Amino acid sequence: MTVEQVRADVQAYLKANWDPNLGLVEWRLKLMDSGWSMPHWPEKWYGRGLPLGMTSVVDEEFAAVGAVGVAKMGIRVLAAATILEHGTDTHKEKFLRGILTGEETWCQLFSEPGSGSDLAGAATRADLKDGKWVINGQKVWTTSAHHAHFGLLLARTDWDAVKHKGLSYFILDMHQPGVDVHQLKQMNGHASFNQVFLTDAVIEPEYQVAELGEGWKVATTTLMNERRGADSARKYDSASDQPERIYEEERAEIATVMAPYTWYPQRMGRVDMLVERAKALGKYDDPATRQEIAKVLTLAKSAEWTARRARAASAAGKPQGPEGSIGKLAASIVARAANLAHTTIAGPDAMLTGDDDGTGGVVAEILVSTPAISIAGGTDEIQRNIISERILKMPKEMRTDTDRPFRDVPRNQV
């Protein structure tokens, strides 16, 4: 289909079906049955099999009439992508619908306090007992775990295999006995992250994703989608002020489910604020300030073009390449440069919180939020390793933990 055909079909569908007086879930169910919910997904699974590049065309038409889309923000996006690629039909039938309606939320149970950025060093145990998986261990930095219905869990099922081969991937019911969640207060005042203690939590065998020992491969899919999402300053949901029922319910969803992500624009550096802040504080004509702003805008635009090339390649059916790691590293560089520009503009006032700085403390929040972009989803050091070893084919750094059974690998104790 051409862009014009897709645009015309979406317009016709919305003209015949869009009604802001519908309930949010009611509309999303209707939308899923039409295939316009995720048009690049297979027709069997609520899509139309269109190229990924067509999704922007569909989004434009939805925005033109103010139509609400399906729920596709947060970890649920990673869950959907992972289940689509590696899950069984049973997984897709059970979970995709709840993801898209927004009725079920997800979290990602990867990081552990004893392994840092070494995801393959996960030591959470999954032991098969009486035909069921019994999980014991601890996860940390888990966004949205405090209100998630399900979790994407990476756990070790074989301690005699090498570290990357002994991992398996599961879907965990977060509301069952043995799952204990504690929120963590961040230095920017938010509490998006959690630590999760797993004590004899049970997973039925049908909720294992992919084959035993293929957890690393499945986790890579999850991470590649996460890093692709960090390749540019993403737009997060904002509530419409329209009075109809669907907008009212969307506002309630954003205020609750999306609350952990409200500070994400700040962790990206808020490049969009720089020019106006310089004008407001009389620094717009200062050569040093202009140079810092120009540097940030150049970096941000370069990162945006890289992201667009990646999306174009994906739309053309090309396999996902290194753009996730490149884009994520670029996002860190842009955020740090934006930090410097904000402090150049505001000077010591950049540290003011509340209403004292004219932004409601947003600039101060930026300064303490941007370090997160260099850590979440794989540190900058990890991205540099991936780029140097897998893309530039440079010699790999010396490792002493990949050629022996994991049980013999020295580990941090927590």
Side-chain angles (χ1 to χ4, degrees):
M1 294 182 71
T2 66
V3 170
E4 291 73 20
Q5 288 174 318
V6 171
R7 197 177 295 281
D9 286 353
V10 178
Q11 290 173 351
Y13 175 79
L14 290 174
K15 183 177 181 180
N17 294 278
W18 166 239
D19 180 1
N21 292 302
L22 293 173
L24 185 60
V25 173
E26 180 185 6
W27 163 246
R28 284 173 170 170
L29 287 170
K30 190 173 184 177
L31 189 57
M32 288 161 58
D33 290 338
S34 74
W36 290 117
S37 59
M38 299 293 277
H40 60 293
W41 283 14
E43 293 183 18
K44 182 178 180 180
W45 303 115
Y46 318 116
R48 290 188 166 230
L50 297 178
L52 180 60
M54 290 293 188
T55 58
S56 61
V57 177
V58 177
D59 290 343
E60 287 171 6
E61 295 305 320
F62 271 63
V65 299
V68 175
V70 292
K72 47 185 178 181
M73 298 295 294
I75 306 300
R76 56 164 66 100
V77 180
L78 309 183
T82 304
I83 290 170
L84 267 178
E85 183 164 344
H86 298 285
T88 64
D89 281 359
T90 299
H91 297 150
K92 295 169 187 175
E93 289 168 358
K94 181 173 178 60
F95 297 115
L96 290 181
R97 204 168 183 86
I99 289 173
L100 295 182
T101 63
E103 295 173 282
E104 295 173 348
T105 56
W106 289 69
C107 65
Q108 183 179 319
L109 299 160
F110 280 16
S111 298
E112 297 186 6
S115 54
S117 296
D118 182 14
L119 179 60
T124 292
R125 303 181 63 97
D127 298 305
L128 193 60
K129 297 180 181 179
D130 299 325
K132 299 180 181 181
W133 292 103
V134 179
I135 314 299
N136 285 279
Q138 181 183 354
K139 299 292 182 175
V140 74
W141 314 126
T142 307
T143 303
S144 294
H146 57 292
H147 63 218
H149 296 88
F150 299 101
L152 303 171
L153 173 69
L154 189 67
R156 190 159 300 278
T157 50
D158 188 349
W159 289 70
D160 293 313
V162 295
K163 61 191 300 184
H164 289 81
K165 300 294 185 181
L167 296 165
S168 297
Y169 201 103
F170 303 92
I171 295 171
L172 175 72
D173 180 353
M174 294 295 292
H175 291 170
Q176 67 172 295
V179 179
D180 191 15
V181 179
H182 297 269
Q183 285 185 263
L184 299 170
K185 190 67 173 289
Q186 300 152 216
M187 64 181 178
N188 61 8
H190 295 273
S192 304
F193 302 123
N194 302 265
Q195 55 183 340
V196 181
F197 298 92
L198 303 167
T199 307
D200 293 333
V202 175
I203 298 178
E204 298 290 340
E206 58 264 33
Y207 297 131
Q208 174 186 321
V209 180
E211 297 298 321
L212 196 66
E214 292 188 352
W216 180 255
K217 179 177 73 174
V218 183
T220 299
T221 296
T222 307
L223 288 173
M224 288 177 73
N225 280 278
E226 181 178 17
R227 290 164 185 168
R228 172 174 281 183
D231 61 10
S232 61
R234 288 153 46 174
K235 294 182 179 179
Y236 289 83
D237 283 355
S238 58
S240 168
D241 60 359
Q242 297 299 309
E244 288 87 354
R245 175 185 173 187
I246 199 166
Y247 298 120
E248 183 178 348
E249 293 182 8
E250 186 189 31
R251 286 193 292 270
E253 178 184 68
I254 292 170
T256 54
V257 176
M258 296 308 300
Y261 306 94
T262 55
W263 63 281
Y264 275 33
Q266 277 68 270
R267 80 174 187 174
M268 303 295 290
R270 291 301 301 270
V271 176
D272 60 300
M273 292 177 59
L274 291 173
V275 172
E276 291 305 317
R277 289 297 294 157
K279 290 179 178 178
L281 296 179
K283 296 291 188 70
Y284 188 67
D285 294 321
D286 176 66
T289 302
R290 291 173 66 89
Q291 186 68 24
E292 292 301 326
I293 294 175
K295 185 188 302 181
V296 177
L297 295 179
T298 302
L299 289 170
K301 185 58 69 173
S302 297
E304 180 186 338
W305 288 335
T306 298
R308 288 184 179 182
R309 282 196 296 270
R311 287 192 288 270
S314 180
K318 297 180 180 179
Q320 196 168 55
E323 68 275 3
S325 292
I326 294 172
K328 187 178 183 308
L329 186 58
S332 296
I333 294 169
V334 170
R336 284 194 293 272
N339 252 7
L340 179 58
H342 279 297
T343 53
T344 301
I345 293 168
D349 287 352
M351 296 185 289
L352 294 175
T353 59
D355 296 327
D356 294 334
D357 74 329
T359 70
V362 171
V363 172
E365 186 174 305
I366 292 169
L367 301 187
V368 294
S369 297
T370 48
I373 197 64
S374 297
I375 301 171
T379 64
D380 289 355
E381 290 77 15
I382 293 294
Q383 308 316 316
R384 290 190 176 97
N385 278 355
I386 292 172
I387 293 167
S388 63
E389 295 176 5
R390 301 182 190 177
I391 301 164
L392 301 178
K393 305 302 181 183
M394 296 173 66
K396 292 185 177 183
E397 65 176 348
M398 185 177 295
R399 302 291 298 267
T400 61
D401 59 354
T402 57
D403 58 353
R404 66 174 90 176
F406 185 74
R407 69 171 65 254
D408 296 335
V409 174
R411 297 185 300 279
N412 293 328
Q413 299 298 318
V414 295

